[in-house]
Amino acid sequence: MGPPVRITRAGVVRGTVTGVALVATMTIMGCPRDSATHPARDDSRSPQASPSSAAPPAGQAPVAQGTPRTVPALRSATPAAGPGWRPAPGARVVTDQAGPLADEARRLADELKLGTAAGPAHPGDIELALRPGQAGGPEAYELATHDRKVLITSQGEAGVFYGTRTVLQAVRSGGGLPEGVVRDAPDRAQRGLNLDTARKHFTAAWIEDRLRELADLKLNQFGLHFSDDQGFRIESDTHPEIVSPEHLTKAEVRHILALADSLHITVVPEIDSPGHLGAVIDAHPDLQLRDTTGTALRGAVDIANPDAAGLIDDLLREYAPLFPGPYFHLGADEYRALTYKDPESSFPRLAEEARRRYGPQARVQDLATGWLNDRAAVLHTLGRKPKAWNDGFFTGGVITADKDIEVEYWTGKELGARDPQEYLNEGRTVVNLNDEYLYYVLGQPNQFTYPTGQRIYEQWSPSVLRGTTPVEGGATPARVPGGRLAVWCDRADAQSPQQVADGIHLPLAALAQRLWNAGPPPMPWKDFTALTQKVH
């Protein structure tokens, strides 16, 4: 499980701020130096990428000059002449052992079988340091290899951690780090995996293994869809009657969250409503939505019934404090009442409530939009930012979805599906989960096919939000902040958990590459595959 971790960490991705005053007052390079015994030097700069006079230890070959080979590929590297760095007996990972980077140091030291120390750094060592004000943001880092020493710096802990991933991969791919300076940062802020644990139970251990895999690929987000028609998979104190026999305990969830935090991964919980609530309806049949013929709509609750809203709000208030990240996903997709040709005549009670709440021109879609906005308002009181699927946002109504709800775009195939450009034109933030490339649906129902890493690597980019065609404009990192590969377990028995893990291995690597650097891939797919297998 790795070294002990803290629940709260710095980083914009988490939406938290920790220890700024401490960082500002600590020694800039992360370890104290005695000016009486060590010559003064300017620790505000990395060692320069200039020829090195240091020779490698006897019997240790220098590292070949060039760019370290990693997945995802580095954004910028400036090679220099010199011996580079290899792990060697007696080498250490150096940082303040009681400071904010101590767990990163211990993790890397364990992975490379090195020691740790408070410093100062000696030849053969890797030094980790926070550098307030360093360019690029908290996930950017600089890695300088000079005189058989490595220095990793960033303004944020996440950036330093990603630098350690580069070291680890460089050792796996080339035996060590070549001389020079790496400057690296992700193109997109949200990068990760979405997992449907509602239809298929995955153990805590399986989830933790995926978190480690994500972290090694410098992915930083894990969506947890734990409520749907087939199951509700996390222990509940407020509504234990809805929980499936196979589920995660809250103790297991806290362990998962602690590991995710130590790996700089944000977990995004999802309770999908007002559709996809079959597990809740099984325990509360009085909330079931029926049409005028008495037909029950699977998974759909009656949004004119205030008890439905009360139950979901109970769950939001229970689970938001459990998940410390900034986001909570509200779902809002595939509300079956809105698939009817004339929802107002098929669901007169919903239509009446819509008019009562929003005026004589209001329709059932307005009542659904009001439901989404009301749940988002609950999340705001809990300090969380809401997300929802793109087919929960409608046009032509008397009310619209709140602008601060992030759109997670998954499909253009649903009835009435809107082009992603419309959301961008409205000024909304749109996250990419394009079902043409990024949907791993067990059993491949409804014409889905398992995504391949090669298609993602060669054809997809963050701007390809729908189908295979990029949006014409506006897919900037601020407007389209990233994407996730999504595992959906529609036919839960179609694959074992191990088959799922194997099946998403290369797609995740390809996704990591395209989100770290949205430009053309740096090498042919065959070479990328071979490198992925070597470093992961």
Side-chain angles (χ1 to χ4, degrees), residues 78-134:
T78 304
W85 175 91
R86 293 181 187 272
R92 307 165 303 165
V93 183
V94 171
T95 197
D96 179 356
Q97 297 298 288
L101 300 177
D103 51 347
E104 276 79 15
R106 287 191 293 268
R107 187 180 299 277
L108 182 62
D110 182 64
E111 291 164 330
L112 295 178
K113 297 180 171 54
L114 305 178
T116 60
H122 300 146
D125 290 346
I126 302 171
E127 186 174 3
L128 312 182
L130 291 176
R131 180 177 287 164
Q134 182 168 307

Side-chain angles (χ1 to χ4, degrees), residues 48 63 81 109 122 128 134 173 230 232 251 262 338 382 421 428 479 530:
Q48 300 301 303
V63 178
H122 300 146
L128 312 182
Q134 182 168 307
S173 64
Q230 295 82 357
F232 191 98
S262 76
L338 294 173
L382 299 167
Q421 190 66 55
R428 296 187 183 275
R479 303 296 304 285

Side-chain angles (χ1 to χ4, degrees), residues 306-388:
D307 291 341
L311 190 151
I312 298 304
D313 290 348
D314 286 346
L315 296 173
L316 294 177
R317 292 187 178 100
E318 176 180 0
Y319 289 106
L322 178 64
F323 291 90
Y327 297 108
F328 204 113
H329 205 305
L330 293 170
D333 62 311
E334 298 182 315
Y335 187 53
R336 293 178 182 271
L338 294 173
T339 66
Y340 279 57
K341 183 177 181 180
D342 186 354
E344 284 67 42
S345 63
S346 297
F347 303 94
R349 187 163 178 267
L350 298 186
E352 179 184 357
E353 180 65 14
R355 290 189 295 270
R356 187 189 72 79
R357 292 187 62 177
Y358 304 112
Q361 303 303 314
R363 294 175 288 164
V364 172
Q365 74 168 52
D366 294 300
L367 193 62
T369 299
W371 171 282
L372 174 60
N373 287 345
D374 290 346
R375 308 291 77 74
V378 171
L379 289 181
H380 288 318
T381 68
L382 299 167
R384 299 295 181 270
K385 183 175 179 61
K387 291 174 174 280

Side-chain angles (χ1 to χ4, degrees), residues 38 44 75 97 135 153 174 238 260 267 276 322 371 379 383 456 466:
H38 299 281
S44 66
R75 300 287 296 277
Q97 297 298 288
T153 61
T238 61
V267 179
H276 294 278
L322 178 64
W371 171 282
L379 289 181
I456 296 169
R466 176 182 184 175

Side-chain angles (χ1 to χ4, degrees), residues 435-514:
D435 64 351
E436 176 69 27
Y437 292 98
L438 305 180
Y439 260 39
Y440 192 98
V441 185
L442 268 59
Q444 304 184 104
N446 303 321
Q447 299 182 317
F448 282 109
T449 58
Y450 291 126
T452 68
Q454 185 170 4
R455 283 195 77 213
I456 296 169
Y457 187 77
E458 295 177 345
Q459 301 176 23
W460 180 84
S461 73
S463 64
V464 182
L465 284 156
R466 176 182 184 175
T468 60
T469 305
V471 294
E472 292 184 1
T476 63
R479 303 296 304 285
V480 183
R484 297 193 303 280
L485 182 76
V487 175
W488 297 104
C489 303
D490 291 42
R491 297 177 182 171
D493 295 331
Q495 288 192 340
S496 69
Q498 185 58 54
Q499 287 174 316
V500 174
D502 293 341
I504 65 177
H505 181 68
L506 285 175
L508 279 173
L511 180 81
Q513 176 59 48
R514 299 312 304 267

Side-chain angles (χ1 to χ4, degrees), residues 136-192:
E139 290 192 303
Y141 67 93
E142 181 177 291
L143 187 157
T145 305
H146 181 67
D147 282 341
R148 294 197 301 109
K149 290 191 290 188
V150 177
L151 172 64
I152 303 172
T153 61
S154 172
Q155 67 169 263
E157 295 171 49
V160 173
F161 175 71
Y162 296 144
T164 70
R165 300 306 87 194
T166 294
V167 172
L168 184 63
Q169 289 191 39
V171 170
R172 290 171 176 170
S173 64
L177 286 161
E179 199 89 358
V181 177
V182 167
R183 293 182 179 89
D184 201 18
D187 184 66
R188 306 288 157 148
Q190 297 187 42
R191 313 177 302 278

